[in-house]
Amino acid sequence: QVHLVESGGGLVQAGGSLRLSCAVSGTMLSIDAAGWYRQAPGKQRELVATITGAGNANYADFVEGRFSISRDGAKNTVYLQMNSLKPEDTGVYYCNLDGRTTGWIPFRSWGQGTQVTVSS
């Protein structure tokens, strides 16, 4: 099994920054992609950013250059650096990982989420 644990959320004023971390543990033969999603109260979960195993990043339109996703293979950690935060960025942020485990069996894992609250 592959486990993801997010951290780094909190309360920040508009215009501030946060760095979210997603610690990955378990047996993995390869990582196809990692991503960050968010869910605001009363809304569906939406994609924020993804990064492929080759390191190619993609972002939702609403990011507008404010966020940056990265991976540290040595630490088995995925990061989301968020700058210029807006109140509408408030929500629970989830880490997601797609890859291959023992026997090259594909897996998709989710973390438990970390709360981000941006005050105006």
Side-chain angles (χ1 to χ4, degrees):
Q1 277 188 316
V2 176
H3 296 280
L4 310 180
V5 179
E6 301 100 331
S7 62
L11 174 64
V12 65
Q13 289 187 332
S17 298
L18 285 173
R19 188 176 80 156
L20 306 183
S21 298
C22 174
V24 182
S25 62
T27 302
M28 293 168 289
L29 298 180
S30 69
I31 294 177
D32 298 325
W36 286 95
Y37 292 72
R38 72 185 187 185
Q39 188 167 17
K43 295 187 177 181
Q44 290 188 333
R45 190 174 298 188
E46 62 181 352
L47 175 68
V48 177
T50 61
I51 185 167
T52 67
N56 298 312
N58 286 285
Y59 300 91
D61 290 343
F62 61 75
V63 170
E64 298 174 325
R66 300 178 296 129
F67 299 173
S68 177
I69 187 171
S70 62
R71 283 177 52 197
D72 186 332
K75 296 181 179 180
N76 281 339
T77 303
V78 182
Y79 301 99
L80 184 68
Q81 177 67 43
M82 303 189 295
N83 301 321
S84 303
L85 283 161
K86 306 175 182 180
E88 51 264 43
D89 293 318
T90 294
V92 179
Y93 283 68
Y94 298 90
C95 181
N96 160 271
L97 196 68
D98 291 326
R100 302 276 175 165
T101 186
T102 307
W104 292 102
I105 298 173
F107 72 87
R108 165 167 284 194
S109 290
W110 290 89
Q112 83 290 347
T114 185
Q115 177 70 45
V116 171
T117 303
V118 185
S119 62
S120 58

